Amino acid sequence: MNALAATNRNFKLAARLLGLDSKLEKCLLIPFREIKVECTIPKDDGTLASFVGFRVQHDNARGPMKGGIRYHPEVDPDEVNALAQLMTWKTAVANIPYGGAKGGIGCDPGELSVSELERLTRVFTQKIHDLIGVHTDVPAPDMGTNPQTMAWILDEYSKFHGYSPAVVTGKPVDLGGSLGRDAATGRGVLYATQALLQEYGKSISDQRFVIQGFGNVGSWAAELISENGGKIVAVSDITGAIKNSNGIDIPKLLKHSKEHRGIKGFNGGDPIDPKSILVEDCDVLIPAALGGVINRENANEIKANFIIEAANHPTDPEADEILAKKGVIILPDIFANSGGVTVSYFEWVQNIQGFMWDEAKVNNELKTYMTKGFKDMKEMCKTHNCDLRMGAFTLGVNRVARATVLRGWEA
Ligand SMILES: NC(=O)C1=CN([C@@H]2O[C@H](COP(=O)(O)OP(=O)(O)OC[C@H]3O[C@@H](n4cnc5c(N)ncnc54)[C@H](OP(=O)(O)O)[C@@H]3O)[C@@H](O)[C@H]2O)C=CC1
Ligand SMILES: O=C(O)CCC(=O)C(=O)O
């Protein structure tokens, strides 16, 4: 099942649990706007290269649309659509005043030079600058993009509209980025995991973790979990995978990964087949890379008791059913990785106020939001007698539905 079909299916199940009528259901499902643009740039060798860029603005009933921009070879319109819809439910689960959007460019950022990436980002911004804005749609980083990408978008946007730092979040701190945003998604994963484990009388320090992906989200999650006493027994990225049942030394792995642009060759563990990472023996599995990686082909082989969805849409609905039968508890993406967009909201608020928070305030506020989100999601599980994914979906969809009706949009 592709990402859009899977997301639509989860939405429809939640709509049914909430008893939404079909007109409102349709109104919530259809995206507000889908943008597709061609981005042609001169490469460093003087030849021209064309890339396709997307921005899907899914819903703005609760506020400006919000979501990352992804640079990856597998970016396609259905996937961006699904990710934009997930942002709508995620911002509502977090209870921050935003709707949902997502963007992407079908490219391999590892194959482009820094100046080619800058030209591509600036051309993409030129094509969409009229459709984004501080109070309309606020992009942020996602896979393959980073604070530098946001700095280029901010600069290009400002040529058309005047200097507007709040038009993107996840910026470098020197340009109005928030302290703590870089770590925020991983830190949110830590807080979410702590809240879940506590329910089962467990804690980070008595669990063994496996993490797929060692980029922004995976590496921060690994660092914070290991600082809190968790044992990380296997990690993978695009370059390879390593295993150490005594626990991987994460600070050393971070250093190696920065110096060698990947975890391959790290001598603090044994190399394993990256394809086997998700089925390694552990208590808690954290997918923090691509979508759709947990599916009917591997779900039966998963050993973990808990899955924390740091990535967006890592689990296919067929795998959801198999894992539920095995008793595996899944903490869904739209709650588990909401720390990133929550601190993006804090960044936007700081930019609009022209006032900078210290990092302790950012982290404390994030913990408050994650704790409240967990409690609200659990409440919906009780009300609708459902699992955590449906708890999160009913929570998010219900909040957006209420805003939609109040604004008179469903009629
Ligand atoms: N950044 C954020 O704030 C948020 C991100 N997310 C989600 O988290 C996930 C990761 O995003 P982010 O960390 O920002 O992205 P990054 O680009 O920073 O990192 C992605 C990581 O995944 C690795 N990777 C890519 N393909 C594979 C693969 N086939 N097997 C194993 N590892 C792979 C990459 O390896 P390499 O670097 O070697 O290519 C890299 O380590 C995505 O699903 C994203 O949507 C969710 C909420 C917020
Ligand atoms: O920080 C943001 O605005 C969005 C982050 C994002 O893309 C996500 O949560 O998937």
Side-chain angles (χ1 to χ4, degrees), residues 47-117:
T47 60
L48 291 180
S50 280
F51 302 89
V52 182
F54 304 94
R55 184 77 179 163
V56 174
Q57 300 174 329
H58 177 257
D59 194 276
N60 59 358
R62 300 180 79 254
M65 293 169 285
K66 187 84 189 83
I69 293 181
R70 178 178 286 199
Y71 288 0
H72 193 273
E74 280 163 32
V75 161
D76 74 61
D78 269 8
E79 190 194 38
V80 181
N81 240 301
L83 294 169
Q85 189 193 140
L86 285 173
M87 286 307 305
T88 298
W89 316 136
K90 188 186 302 184
T91 54
V93 166
N95 214 1
I96 53 179
Y98 286 140
K102 200 83 172 197
I105 301 182
C107 68
D108 185 347
E111 302 255 292
L112 297 172
S113 69
V114 173
S115 45
E116 287 167 343
L117 282 170

Side-chain angles (χ1 to χ4, degrees), residues 66-69 83 87 90 101-102 138-142 169 181 185 312 337-338 340-342 344:
K66 187 84 189 83
I69 293 181
L83 294 169
M87 286 307 305
K90 188 186 302 184
K102 200 83 172 197
V138 182
D142 191 75
T169 60
R181 174 60 185 90
T185 311
N312 281 307
N337 69 33
S338 64
V341 74
T342 300
S344 276

Side-chain angles (χ1 to χ4, degrees), residues 19 40 50 137 165 219 254 261 275 279 311 317 372 377:
T40 302
S50 280
D137 177 5
S219 68
L254 281 164
R261 304 190 70 195
K275 285 196 202 105
V279 301
K372 179 76 167 67
M377 176 178 65

Side-chain angles (χ1 to χ4, degrees), residues 68 70-72 74 83 87 90 102 108-109 140-146 181-182 184-186 211-219 236-240 257 261-263 274-275 277 287-291 293 309-314 333 336-341 344:
R70 178 178 286 199
Y71 288 0
H72 193 273
E74 280 163 32
L83 294 169
M87 286 307 305
K90 188 186 302 184
K102 200 83 172 197
D108 185 347
D142 191 75
M143 274 187 94
T145 56
N146 55 35
R181 174 60 185 90
D182 198 40
T185 311
I211 303 181
Q212 181 191 45
F214 205 62
N216 172 277
V217 179
S219 68
S236 74
D237 70 4
I238 198 82
T239 66
S257 169
R261 304 190 70 195
I263 65 176
K275 285 196 202 105
I277 188 88
L290 292 172
V293 291
E309 294 188 333
N312 281 307
H313 173 60
D333 48 5
N337 69 33
S338 64
V341 74
S344 276

Side-chain angles (χ1 to χ4, degrees), residues 132-350:
I132 61 172
V134 176
H135 297 288
T136 48
D137 177 5
V138 182
D142 191 75
M143 274 187 94
T145 56
N146 55 35
Q148 176 62 74
T149 323
M150 297 305 113
W152 292 325
I153 297 177
L154 163 58
D155 186 65
E156 200 60 31
Y157 178 88
S158 297
K159 288 179 189 165
F160 295 92
H161 303 275
Y163 187 60
S164 319
V167 74
V168 284
T169 60
K171 300 175 288 289
V173 174
D174 286 330
L175 284 175
S178 178
L179 294 169
R181 174 60 185 90
D182 198 40
T185 311
R187 188 175 294 281
V189 165
L190 170 77
Y191 295 154
T193 309
Q194 282 170 331
L196 180 71
L197 291 177
Q198 202 181 0
E199 289 272 307
Y200 291 86
K202 300 179 189 302
S203 72
I204 297 274
S205 59
D206 58 33
Q207 300 290 293
R208 294 167 307 137
F209 294 81
V210 164
I211 303 181
Q212 181 191 45
F214 205 62
N216 172 277
V217 179
S219 68
W220 273 110
E223 186 170 346
L224 294 167
I225 285 168
S226 89
E227 270 174 27
N228 279 269
K231 192 187 272 187
I232 295 160
V233 294
V235 171
S236 74
D237 70 4
I238 198 82
T239 66
I242 49 151
K243 175 181 175 174
N244 182 341
S245 44
N246 294 320
I248 295 167
D249 183 330
I250 296 298
K252 275 196 186 148
L253 180 61
L254 281 164
K255 189 163 176 283
H256 174 96
S257 169
K258 271 186 198 124
E259 284 168 7
H260 299 87
R261 304 190 70 195
I263 65 176
K264 192 175 177 190
F266 180 62
N267 62 10
D270 301 320
I272 54 168
D273 180 356
K275 285 196 202 105
S276 75
I277 188 88
L278 299 166
V279 301
E280 280 300 323
D281 189 26
C282 66
D283 304 305
V284 184
L285 173 63
I286 306 186
L290 292 172
V293 291
I294 303 176
N295 47 49
R296 69 172 167 205
E297 257 119 65
N298 57 13
N300 257 318
E301 312 309 318
I302 283 178
K303 321 268 185 320
N305 303 316
F306 301 98
I307 297 177
I308 313 293
E309 294 188 333
N312 281 307
H313 173 60
T315 315
D316 193 72
E318 287 167 317
D320 256 345
E321 281 173 21
I322 297 168
L323 291 161
K325 283 191 193 124
K326 278 163 60 91
V328 179
I329 307 296
I330 303 176
L331 199 58
D333 48 5
I334 57 173
F335 166 68
N337 69 33
S338 64
V341 74
T342 300
V343 176
S344 276
Y345 164 56
F346 301 158
E347 179 172 327
W348 182 77
V349 166
Q350 290 170 75

